[in-house]
Amino acid sequence: MLDATLKAQLQQYMGMLRQPIRLIASLDDSAASQEMRGLLDDIAGVSDKISLDTSGSDARKPSFVIAREGETSGVRFAGLPLGHEFTSLVLALLWTGGHPPKVEQDVIDAIRALDGDFGFEVYMSLSCHNCPDVVQALSLMAIVNPKVRTVVIEGGTFQQEVTEREIMAVPMVFLNGQVFGSGRMTVEEIVARLDTNAGEREAARLNAKDAYDVLVVGGGPAGAAAAVYAARKGIRVGVAAERFGGQVNDTLAIENYISVLETDGPKFAAALEAQVRHYEVDLMNLQRAEKLIPASEPGGLVQVQMANGGVLKARSVILSTGARWRNVNVPGEQEYRNKGVAYCPHCDGPLFKGKRTAVIGGGNSGVEAAIDLAGIVEHVTLIEFADQLKADAVLVSKLRSLPNVTIHVNAQTTEITGAEGKVNGLKYKDRVSGQEHLVPLEGVFVQIGLVPNTEWLKGTVELSRFGEIVVDAKGHTNVEGVFAAGDCTTVPYKQIVIAAGEGAKAALSAFDHLIRTPAPAEQLAPAAVAA
């Protein structure tokens, strides 16, 4: 089942097992079961600490449980965990076999402290780059806490379940039979949702922190670069991020970051985090900022209030909150979100195999989405408001060469229609003739650009008419001691490399501000005051 290279890599990893594990398989006579049997034979063959038992009787076939020796429960994989999920399989094997996960101890402690009955089912597709994070988080939880049960289900193998449960976006997570959530989720996010007292404890923890020299709000490329540049000055730096990595986590391929020939979003985000942690920056994830309170006097402390009620203080603040996908804001979009309305063609495209879809947006992201989908779905209709496609010429040429793509320009999307809880069509108006049209289809992918995450700053920091933070050439905002960088600002061209450069610039400007602005005496350490 596995080629020689993968077998060699797997054997090397399985050498890290500290205790025996069992693979308990539930198989039938299907071709999928034969493939699974081949995979399991390969896994069991690379280590004498792994045994295979084919006497499993789970209703889902083919499936298998990874269990500790002498036990029968653990993480269950229903369908083949290959593609993007092969790493999830390897990690589940290692963690079950006693190899420690690379997770902070307080997270492990929080998982162990969960009390209740938690039966998780997570549906994934092998081409989904958002799915592994969720699969690995729920796998770890099941391995650490016996009160958590996790089943990982490959949607292509169990298509009937996908249809019956009306799953039209992955990853899709059910808890005890009810929808728990969809899209990328970290283990910290999942635990926080299950632990009802987590917010109060976290607020108290934030309030107890000493003031920072530089506090970065946001953890994308701009925020990471700002943190690294500031920390290298030898000052106290903190990063408060709602989701470290930001939009980068949702990017499939990155091929234009100078010196990095090719990588993907999750790997790039992990590298950003690793470098930030290398400089011992105080990284606070899952923190959504709600209010900025400027300093009450020159050189005073700026405060940032978080959604959980906690307040962080700093002598300077760098805002790098990034942006998010823009909604088309027509009837039906919110109603049918994850029921035919999607935003990630790489993640959700395979769920529409053989079906009719539309892409709204004719920029690079929209045209790239249409090209990708054309290789999977029956037909793609691209809807563009302007009188021509705005994507690069090479992409437009490729799109026009595809036989199962229809392009409408000067087309205004007016409604996403549906029936029985699912999308069944898209309405658009011809902006030249005024005539309305209905396109019957099963899926709509929205790709119309970004909106800055700056609503919480209205009335405090100057914003442009597009909601972007107004900055000068050095990243200064109109508030003393507050700087900004990245996609949330007026700096043109929203690119990773530009965001990183702007983050570095903002950090240098913040440091320049610090050395030129003496802190009030009450902010200084007692020894400094005595001196």
Side-chain angles (χ1 to χ4, degrees), residues 217-489:
V217 183
V228 169
Y229 265 72
R232 283 173 61 87
K233 296 296 185 181
I235 58 180
R236 177 170 160 76
V237 180
V239 175
E242 186 168 1
R243 182 178 63 147
F244 196 89
Q247 292 179 63
V248 168
N249 287 300
D250 304 322
T251 302
L252 184 61
I254 298 172
E255 300 175 345
N256 57 359
Y257 194 85
I258 307 306
S259 83
V260 179
L261 185 62
E262 181 180 2
T263 186
D264 60 45
K267 287 181 182 177
F268 191 82
L272 292 178
E273 182 174 347
Q275 189 168 21
V276 169
R277 291 189 182 279
H278 172 76
Y279 286 101
E280 299 183 350
V281 172
D282 186 5
L283 179 54
M284 298 160 281
N285 209 3
L286 303 184
Q287 301 297 333
R288 180 165 58 86
E290 282 198 338
K291 187 177 182 180
L292 178 73
I293 305 170
S296 59
E297 59 181 319
L301 296 177
V302 181
Q303 299 181 60
V304 180
Q305 182 176 315
M306 298 297 167
N308 56 26
V311 176
L312 296 170
K313 301 174 287 293
R315 293 180 61 202
S316 65
V317 169
I318 298 173
L319 304 171
S320 57
T321 49
R324 62 188 183 275
W325 287 113
R326 186 182 299 277
N327 291 325
V328 70
N329 291 322
V330 297
E333 180 180 19
Q334 294 304 317
E335 180 182 355
Y336 297 111
R337 190 183 183 102
N338 294 329
K339 296 297 182 182
V341 175
Y343 298 83
C344 180
H346 302 297
C347 303
D348 301 331
L351 298 174
F352 294 87
K353 183 177 181 179
K355 298 181 180 179
R356 301 163 297 178
T357 64
V359 173
I360 302 174
N364 280 348
S365 60
V367 171
E368 288 174 351
I371 292 170
D372 288 345
L373 289 168
I376 302 171
V377 304
E378 177 186 317
H379 189 271
V380 180
T381 300
L382 188 140
I383 306 293
E384 168 55 40
F385 183 85
D387 59 1
Q388 61 183 352
L389 300 181
K390 296 168 287 185
D392 295 342
V394 64
L395 295 175
V396 174
S397 177
K398 172 64 176 177
L399 182 70
R400 294 189 184 280
S401 73
L402 300 174
N404 61 335
V405 174
T406 300
I407 301 170
H408 296 293
V409 296
N410 271 322
Q412 180 181 356
T413 303
T414 57
E415 184 181 357
I416 297 171
T417 64
E420 298 180 353
K422 295 185 291 185
V423 166
N424 68 2
L426 178 146
K427 290 183 179 180
Y428 74 91
K429 181 175 72 173
D430 187 310
R431 296 176 57 234
V432 176
S433 68
Q435 186 175 357
E436 290 229 17
H437 301 270
L438 172 65
V439 181
L441 44 71
E442 289 75 42
V444 176
F445 289 82
V446 180
Q447 302 280 292
I448 57 171
L450 303 169
V451 57
N453 298 316
T454 58
E455 292 87 350
W456 64 287
L457 296 168
K458 289 179 179 178
T460 306
V461 175
E462 183 184 357
L463 304 176
S464 73
R465 65 190 181 93
F466 300 110
E468 298 168 320
I469 302 170
V470 177
V471 293
D472 67 11
K474 292 186 176 180
H476 295 90
T477 72
N478 66 314
V479 178
E480 183 186 2
V482 177
F483 306 83
D487 288 1
C488 64
T489 73

Side-chain angles (χ1 to χ4, degrees), residues 109-230:
D109 293 340
I111 295 172
R112 288 190 175 126
L114 291 174
D115 189 20
D117 180 36
F118 306 105
F120 284 103
E121 298 166 295
V122 52
Y123 288 83
M124 55 81 173
S125 71
L126 300 182
S127 62
C128 169
H129 64 283
N130 284 329
C131 293
D133 279 358
V134 180
V135 170
Q136 290 163 26
L138 293 172
S139 297
L140 177 63
M141 290 173 64
I143 292 166
V144 170
N145 188 333
K147 296 176 182 177
V148 178
R149 304 179 310 283
T150 295
V151 182
V152 180
I153 305 159
E154 197 277 299
T157 302
F158 294 90
Q159 192 63 49
Q160 184 175 345
E161 283 190 40
V162 169
T163 301
E164 290 174 352
R165 300 183 92 160
E166 298 183 345
I167 296 168
M168 305 186 76
V170 290
M172 179 68 73
V173 180
F174 290 80
L175 173 59
N176 298 333
Q178 302 298 314
V179 173
F180 178 78
S182 64
R184 182 187 293 273
M185 291 179 280
T186 65
V187 64
E188 294 92 342
E189 289 174 298
I190 297 170
V191 171
R193 287 184 59 181
L194 298 176
D195 184 352
T196 56
N197 296 319
E200 184 178 336
R201 291 198 304 272
E202 185 65 10
R205 189 173 73 88
L206 297 184
N207 290 335
K209 289 180 178 289
D210 293 333
Y212 299 95
D213 292 306
V214 174
L215 173 65
V216 182
V217 183
V228 169
Y229 265 72

